[in-house]
Amino acid sequence: MWCFEILASICFGYEIVRTLATTSFDALQRLFCGAVIGFIANSWIVFILSFFFGLTAFCGFLSITIMFISTFLMRKYNEKNNKHTSFIFHLTDFQLFTYIFFGIIYFIFMYASQFYGYTKSKGAGFSDMPFHLNIINSFSVGCNNKRDKMFNILTAFYSGTQLVYPFIPNFHAALLMATGLTSARYAMLIPSVFIVFSLIIALYSLIFYFTKSHLACFIGLIIFTNLGGLGWTHV
């Protein structure tokens, strides 16, 4: 069911961006920006529902239903107001090359570091992965699976202590595991792919807005990728 949760989130976010952005974004920008918004919205919907119904498949089904109905209503509203009902975008050859080039690089990073083979990680994942898996599992099967208060979220590291951390990204992975019945690896990897592509497109669009140069966008993404040095070449 996790496929439908991802699809519902993307469709929901796409319609929100189309409603708010009007002519500002093309279809590709609306898609990937909407994906991030949809994942966040879905996480909060399931977080609220899980307090009443538990983090179960029924909770996931209810969330999918809410998001698809909301998407349908927003789409009808947008069609009525002629807000870019067609999925159209135009890319230059250099822009397409940049998206593919950096998309492949970042995908390789994530594929190798996001719990590869369910036993391995690389780079910063060596320190981050255990931390995030603890929080994810605390929601999916652990101490935060059933909460006595809406925001009574306990840390998985110190028994009985409140968690003070922005938990929504970890909760999203947990909901895909608990309600969508996917593995920890793909619960982290698949949303991360959409988020990274949205970052690439957002950075490219921002640089192009100020420079009007596709070459500057390519150089800007190279600089961004190497802000932490060249250690990533050893991953």
Side-chain angles (χ1 to χ4, degrees), residues 130-173:
F131 172 80
H132 291 292
L133 283 174
N134 270 286
I135 298 177
I136 290 168
N137 288 323
S138 76
F139 284 112
S140 60
V141 295
C143 58
N144 293 313
N145 185 262
K146 295 180 179 179
R147 310 186 303 275
D148 55 359
K149 294 180 181 178
M150 180 69 73
F151 291 98
N152 185 25
I153 304 170
L154 302 176
T155 176
F157 309 101
Y158 302 102
S159 179
T161 304
Q162 290 283 97
L163 176 67
V164 184
Y165 187 77
F167 62 88
I168 282 297
N170 294 304
F171 183 81
H172 186 258

Short mmCIF file of all heavy atoms in Angstrom, two decimals, residues 130-173:
data_model
loop_
_atom_site.label_atom_id
_atom_site.label_comp_id
_atom_site.label_asym_id
_atom_site.label_seq_id
_atom_site.Cartn_x
_atom_site.Cartn_y
_atom_site.Cartn_z
N PRO A 130 21.92 4.83 12.43
CA PRO A 130 21.41 4.24 13.68
C PRO A 130 20.50 5.20 14.45
O PRO A 130 19.49 4.78 15.02
CB PRO A 130 22.69 3.95 14.48
CG PRO A 130 23.77 3.85 13.46
CD PRO A 130 23.39 4.84 12.39
N PHE A 131 20.86 6.49 14.44
CA PHE A 131 20.05 7.49 15.14
C PHE A 131 18.65 7.55 14.55
O PHE A 131 17.64 7.48 15.28
CB PHE A 131 20.74 8.85 15.03
CG PHE A 131 19.93 10.00 15.54
CD1 PHE A 131 19.86 10.25 16.91
CD2 PHE A 131 19.24 10.82 14.67
CE1 PHE A 131 19.11 11.31 17.39
CE2 PHE A 131 18.48 11.87 15.13
CZ PHE A 131 18.41 12.12 16.50
N HIS A 132 18.57 7.66 13.22
CA HIS A 132 17.26 7.79 12.57
C HIS A 132 16.46 6.49 12.65
O HIS A 132 15.24 6.52 12.82
CB HIS A 132 17.43 8.23 11.12
CG HIS A 132 17.92 9.64 10.99
ND1 HIS A 132 17.15 10.74 11.34
CD2 HIS A 132 19.10 10.14 10.57
CE1 HIS A 132 17.82 11.85 11.12
NE2 HIS A 132 19.02 11.52 10.67
N LEU A 133 17.13 5.36 12.52
CA LEU A 133 16.41 4.08 12.61
C LEU A 133 15.79 3.88 13.98
O LEU A 133 14.70 3.30 14.11
CB LEU A 133 17.36 2.92 12.28
CG LEU A 133 17.67 2.71 10.80
CD1 LEU A 133 18.73 1.63 10.63
CD2 LEU A 133 16.41 2.33 10.03
N ASN A 134 16.48 4.37 15.02
CA ASN A 134 15.90 4.28 16.37
C ASN A 134 14.60 5.06 16.46
O ASN A 134 13.61 4.57 17.02
CB ASN A 134 16.90 4.81 17.40
CG ASN A 134 17.80 3.72 17.94
OD1 ASN A 134 17.37 2.90 18.74
ND2 ASN A 134 19.04 3.70 17.51
N ILE A 135 14.59 6.27 15.94
CA ILE A 135 13.37 7.09 15.99
C ILE A 135 12.28 6.49 15.10
O ILE A 135 11.11 6.42 15.49
CB ILE A 135 13.68 8.54 15.55
CG1 ILE A 135 14.68 9.17 16.51
CG2 ILE A 135 12.40 9.37 15.51
CD1 ILE A 135 15.11 10.57 16.13
N ILE A 136 12.67 6.04 13.89
CA ILE A 136 11.69 5.43 12.98
C ILE A 136 11.04 4.21 13.62
O ILE A 136 9.81 4.06 13.61
CB ILE A 136 12.39 5.04 11.65
CG1 ILE A 136 12.77 6.29 10.87
CG2 ILE A 136 11.49 4.14 10.82
CD1 ILE A 136 13.71 6.03 9.71
N ASN A 137 11.84 3.32 14.19
CA ASN A 137 11.30 2.11 14.80
C ASN A 137 10.50 2.39 16.07
O ASN A 137 9.60 1.62 16.42
CB ASN A 137 12.43 1.12 15.10
CG ASN A 137 12.98 0.48 13.84
OD1 ASN A 137 12.24 0.19 12.91
ND2 ASN A 137 14.28 0.28 13.79
N SER A 138 10.82 3.51 16.74
CA SER A 138 10.04 3.86 17.93
C SER A 138 8.60 4.18 17.54
O SER A 138 7.67 3.95 18.32
CB SER A 138 10.67 5.05 18.67
OG SER A 138 10.41 6.28 18.01
N PHE A 139 8.40 4.71 16.33
CA PHE A 139 7.04 5.00 15.84
C PHE A 139 6.38 3.76 15.23
O PHE A 139 5.19 3.52 15.43
CB PHE A 139 7.07 6.12 14.79
CG PHE A 139 7.25 7.49 15.37
CD1 PHE A 139 8.40 8.21 15.13
CD2 PHE A 139 6.24 8.07 16.14
CE1 PHE A 139 8.56 9.49 15.65
CE2 PHE A 139 6.39 9.34 16.67
CZ PHE A 139 7.56 10.05 16.42
N SER A 140 7.15 2.99 14.49
CA SER A 140 6.54 1.87 13.75
C SER A 140 6.20 0.69 14.66
O SER A 140 5.13 0.08 14.51
CB SER A 140 7.47 1.41 12.63
OG SER A 140 8.72 0.97 13.15
N VAL A 141 7.08 0.39 15.61
CA VAL A 141 6.82 -0.78 16.48
C VAL A 141 7.14 -0.52 17.94
O VAL A 141 6.88 -1.38 18.79
CB VAL A 141 7.63 -2.01 16.00
CG1 VAL A 141 7.16 -2.47 14.63
CG2 VAL A 141 9.13 -1.72 15.99
N GLY A 142 7.74 0.62 18.26
CA GLY A 142 8.27 0.84 19.61
C GLY A 142 7.43 1.69 20.52
O GLY A 142 6.19 1.70 20.43
N CYS A 143 8.10 2.48 21.35
CA CYS A 143 7.45 3.18 22.45
C CYS A 143 6.49 4.29 22.00
O CYS A 143 5.62 4.70 22.77
CB CYS A 143 8.51 3.78 23.39
SG CYS A 143 9.65 4.92 22.58
N ASN A 144 6.65 4.77 20.78
CA ASN A 144 5.77 5.83 20.28
C ASN A 144 4.69 5.33 19.34
O ASN A 144 3.96 6.14 18.74
CB ASN A 144 6.60 6.91 19.57
CG ASN A 144 7.51 7.66 20.52
OD1 ASN A 144 7.09 8.09 21.59
ND2 ASN A 144 8.77 7.80 20.15
N ASN A 145 4.57 4.01 19.22
CA ASN A 145 3.55 3.46 18.33
C ASN A 145 2.14 3.77 18.84
O ASN A 145 1.23 4.06 18.07
CB ASN A 145 3.74 1.95 18.18
CG ASN A 145 2.78 1.35 17.18
OD1 ASN A 145 1.75 0.80 17.55
ND2 ASN A 145 3.14 1.44 15.90
N LYS A 146 1.97 3.72 20.14
CA LYS A 146 0.69 4.08 20.76
C LYS A 146 0.97 5.16 21.80
O LYS A 146 1.67 4.91 22.78
CB LYS A 146 0.04 2.86 21.41
CG LYS A 146 -0.36 1.78 20.40
CD LYS A 146 -1.01 0.59 21.09
CE LYS A 146 -1.41 -0.47 20.06
NZ LYS A 146 -2.02 -1.68 20.70
N ARG A 147 0.41 6.34 21.58
CA ARG A 147 0.68 7.49 22.44
C ARG A 147 -0.52 7.77 23.32
O ARG A 147 -1.67 7.70 22.86
CB ARG A 147 1.00 8.74 21.59
CG ARG A 147 2.06 8.48 20.54
CD ARG A 147 2.47 9.75 19.80
NE ARG A 147 1.35 10.44 19.17
CZ ARG A 147 0.88 10.13 17.96
NH1 ARG A 147 1.41 9.13 17.27
NH2 ARG A 147 -0.11 10.82 17.44
N ASP A 148 -0.28 8.11 24.59
CA ASP A 148 -1.40 8.44 25.48
C ASP A 148 -1.82 9.90 25.34
O ASP A 148 -2.92 10.28 25.73
CB ASP A 148 -1.04 8.14 26.94
CG ASP A 148 0.24 8.84 27.39
OD1 ASP A 148 0.86 9.54 26.57
OD2 ASP A 148 0.61 8.67 28.56
N LYS A 149 -0.93 10.73 24.75
CA LYS A 149 -1.26 12.11 24.42
C LYS A 149 -0.74 12.39 23.01
O LYS A 149 0.22 11.76 22.56
CB LYS A 149 -0.63 13.09 25.41
CG LYS A 149 -1.18 12.98 26.82
CD LYS A 149 -0.51 13.99 27.75
CE LYS A 149 -1.05 13.85 29.16
NZ LYS A 149 -0.39 14.81 30.10
N MET A 150 -1.38 13.35 22.33
CA MET A 150 -1.04 13.60 20.92
C MET A 150 0.45 13.83 20.71
O MET A 150 1.07 13.25 19.82
CB MET A 150 -1.84 14.81 20.42
CG MET A 150 -1.57 15.17 18.96
SD MET A 150 -2.22 13.96 17.77
CE MET A 150 -3.98 14.32 17.91
N PHE A 151 1.05 14.69 21.54
CA PHE A 151 2.45 15.06 21.35
C PHE A 151 3.34 14.52 22.46
O PHE A 151 4.41 15.07 22.71
CB PHE A 151 2.59 16.57 21.24
CG PHE A 151 2.00 17.13 19.97
CD1 PHE A 151 0.73 17.68 19.97
CD2 PHE A 151 2.71 17.08 18.79
CE1 PHE A 151 0.18 18.18 18.80
CE2 PHE A 151 2.17 17.58 17.61
CZ PHE A 151 0.89 18.13 17.62
N ASN A 152 2.90 13.46 23.08
CA ASN A 152 3.73 12.80 24.09
C ASN A 152 4.64 11.80 23.37
O ASN A 152 4.37 10.60 23.33
CB ASN A 152 2.88 12.10 25.14
CG ASN A 152 3.73 11.52 26.25
OD1 ASN A 152 4.83 12.00 26.53
ND2 ASN A 152 3.22 10.49 26.90
N ILE A 153 5.74 12.31 22.83
CA ILE A 153 6.66 11.51 22.03
C ILE A 153 7.93 11.27 22.84
O ILE A 153 8.60 12.22 23.25
CB ILE A 153 7.00 12.22 20.71
CG1 ILE A 153 5.71 12.53 19.95
CG2 ILE A 153 7.93 11.37 19.86
CD1 ILE A 153 5.92 13.43 18.76
N LEU A 154 8.24 10.02 23.06
CA LEU A 154 9.39 9.66 23.91
C LEU A 154 10.62 9.39 23.06
O LEU A 154 10.52 8.94 21.91
CB LEU A 154 9.05 8.42 24.74
CG LEU A 154 7.83 8.54 25.65
CD1 LEU A 154 7.55 7.20 26.35
CD2 LEU A 154 8.02 9.64 26.69
N THR A 155 11.76 9.67 23.60
CA THR A 155 13.00 9.35 22.91
C THR A 155 13.30 7.87 23.04
O THR A 155 12.99 7.24 24.06
CB THR A 155 14.18 10.18 23.46
OG1 THR A 155 15.38 9.76 22.80
CG2 THR A 155 14.35 9.97 24.95
N ALA A 156 13.89 7.31 21.99
CA ALA A 156 14.25 5.89 22.02
C ALA A 156 15.60 5.67 22.70
O ALA A 156 16.04 4.53 22.86
CB ALA A 156 14.31 5.36 20.59
N PHE A 157 16.24 6.76 23.14
CA PHE A 157 17.60 6.65 23.68
C PHE A 157 17.63 6.70 25.20
O PHE A 157 18.48 6.09 25.83
CB PHE A 157 18.48 7.77 23.11
CG PHE A 157 18.42 7.84 21.61
CD1 PHE A 157 17.65 8.80 20.98
CD2 PHE A 157 19.12 6.94 20.84
CE1 PHE A 157 17.59 8.87 19.60
CE2 PHE A 157 19.06 7.00 19.46
CZ PHE A 157 18.30 7.96 18.84
N TYR A 158 16.69 7.48 25.80
CA TYR A 158 16.64 7.60 27.26
C TYR A 158 15.21 7.34 27.71
O TYR A 158 14.32 8.15 27.45
CB TYR A 158 17.10 8.99 27.72
CG TYR A 158 18.50 9.34 27.28
CD1 TYR A 158 18.73 10.18 26.20
CD2 TYR A 158 19.62 8.80 27.93
CE1 TYR A 158 20.01 10.49 25.78
CE2 TYR A 158 20.90 9.10 27.52
CZ TYR A 158 21.09 9.94 26.44
OH TYR A 158 22.37 10.24 26.03
N SER A 159 15.00 6.22 28.35
CA SER A 159 13.66 5.78 28.71
C SER A 159 12.91 6.83 29.52
O SER A 159 13.42 7.39 30.49
CB SER A 159 13.73 4.47 29.52
OG SER A 159 12.44 4.05 29.89
N GLY A 160 11.67 7.11 29.09
CA GLY A 160 10.81 8.04 29.81
C GLY A 160 11.08 9.50 29.53
O GLY A 160 10.43 10.38 30.12
N THR A 161 12.02 9.81 28.64
CA THR A 161 12.38 11.20 28.34
C THR A 161 11.72 11.65 27.05
O THR A 161 11.63 10.89 26.08
CB THR A 161 13.91 11.34 28.19
OG1 THR A 161 14.54 10.85 29.38
CG2 THR A 161 14.30 12.79 27.96
N GLN A 162 11.23 12.89 27.03
CA GLN A 162 10.58 13.43 25.84
C GLN A 162 11.59 13.61 24.70
O GLN A 162 12.73 14.00 24.92
CB GLN A 162 9.96 14.79 26.15
CG GLN A 162 8.75 14.73 27.08
CD GLN A 162 7.50 14.27 26.35
OE1 GLN A 162 7.15 13.10 26.39
NE2 GLN A 162 6.84 15.19 25.68
N LEU A 163 11.12 13.31 23.48
CA LEU A 163 11.95 13.50 22.31
C LEU A 163 11.90 14.98 21.90
O LEU A 163 10.83 15.54 21.70
CB LEU A 163 11.44 12.64 21.15
CG LEU A 163 12.17 12.80 19.80
CD1 LEU A 163 13.60 12.30 19.90
CD2 LEU A 163 11.43 12.06 18.69
N VAL A 164 13.06 15.61 21.80
CA VAL A 164 13.15 17.00 21.35
C VAL A 164 13.91 17.00 20.04
O VAL A 164 15.14 17.14 19.99
CB VAL A 164 13.85 17.89 22.41
CG1 VAL A 164 13.85 19.35 21.97
CG2 VAL A 164 13.18 17.75 23.77
N TYR A 165 13.17 16.83 18.95
CA TYR A 165 13.79 16.66 17.64
C TYR A 165 12.70 16.81 16.58
O TYR A 165 11.55 16.41 16.81
CB TYR A 165 14.44 15.27 17.54
CG TYR A 165 15.24 15.05 16.29
CD1 TYR A 165 16.52 15.59 16.16
CD2 TYR A 165 14.72 14.31 15.23
CE1 TYR A 165 17.27 15.39 15.01
CE2 TYR A 165 15.46 14.11 14.08
CZ TYR A 165 16.73 14.66 13.98
OH TYR A 165 17.47 14.46 12.83
N PRO A 166 13.02 17.39 15.40
CA PRO A 166 12.02 17.47 14.32
C PRO A 166 11.75 16.09 13.73
O PRO A 166 12.49 15.60 12.87
CB PRO A 166 12.69 18.40 13.30
CG PRO A 166 14.16 18.30 13.57
CD PRO A 166 14.29 18.07 15.06
N PHE A 167 10.71 15.44 14.20
CA PHE A 167 10.50 14.02 13.98
C PHE A 167 9.75 13.67 12.69
O PHE A 167 9.70 12.49 12.31
CB PHE A 167 9.72 13.42 15.16
CG PHE A 167 8.35 14.01 15.34
CD1 PHE A 167 7.25 13.48 14.67
CD2 PHE A 167 8.15 15.10 16.17
CE1 PHE A 167 5.99 14.03 14.82
CE2 PHE A 167 6.90 15.66 16.32
CZ PHE A 167 5.82 15.12 15.65
N ILE A 168 9.16 14.64 12.01
CA ILE A 168 8.28 14.34 10.89
C ILE A 168 8.96 13.53 9.77
O ILE A 168 8.37 12.58 9.25
CB ILE A 168 7.63 15.63 10.34
CG1 ILE A 168 6.49 16.06 11.27
CG2 ILE A 168 7.08 15.43 8.93
CD1 ILE A 168 5.34 15.06 11.36
N PRO A 169 10.20 13.85 9.34
CA PRO A 169 10.83 13.00 8.31
C PRO A 169 10.97 11.55 8.74
O PRO A 169 10.74 10.63 7.94
CB PRO A 169 12.21 13.66 8.12
CG PRO A 169 12.01 15.08 8.53
CD PRO A 169 11.04 15.02 9.67
N ASN A 170 11.31 11.33 10.01
CA ASN A 170 11.41 9.96 10.52
C ASN A 170 10.03 9.31 10.64
O ASN A 170 9.87 8.12 10.39
CB ASN A 170 12.11 9.95 11.87
CG ASN A 170 13.56 10.37 11.77
OD1 ASN A 170 14.34 9.79 11.04
ND2 ASN A 170 13.94 11.41 12.51
N PHE A 171 9.05 10.12 11.03
CA PHE A 171 7.69 9.58 11.14
C PHE A 171 7.17 9.16 9.78
O PHE A 171 6.44 8.17 9.66
CB PHE A 171 6.75 10.61 11.77
CG PHE A 171 5.35 10.09 11.97
CD1 PHE A 171 5.05 9.28 13.06
CD2 PHE A 171 4.35 10.38 11.05
CE1 PHE A 171 3.77 8.78 13.23
CE2 PHE A 171 3.07 9.89 11.22
CZ PHE A 171 2.78 9.08 12.31
N HIS A 172 7.54 9.91 8.73
CA HIS A 172 7.09 9.54 7.38
C HIS A 172 7.62 8.17 6.98
O HIS A 172 6.88 7.36 6.40
CB HIS A 172 7.55 10.60 6.37
CG HIS A 172 7.01 10.37 4.99
ND1 HIS A 172 7.78 9.81 3.99
CD2 HIS A 172 5.79 10.59 4.45
CE1 HIS A 172 7.05 9.71 2.89
NE2 HIS A 172 5.85 10.18 3.13
N ALA A 173 8.88 7.90 7.29
CA ALA A 173 9.43 6.57 7.01
C ALA A 173 8.70 5.51 7.85
O ALA A 173 8.41 4.41 7.36
CB ALA A 173 10.92 6.55 7.31
#
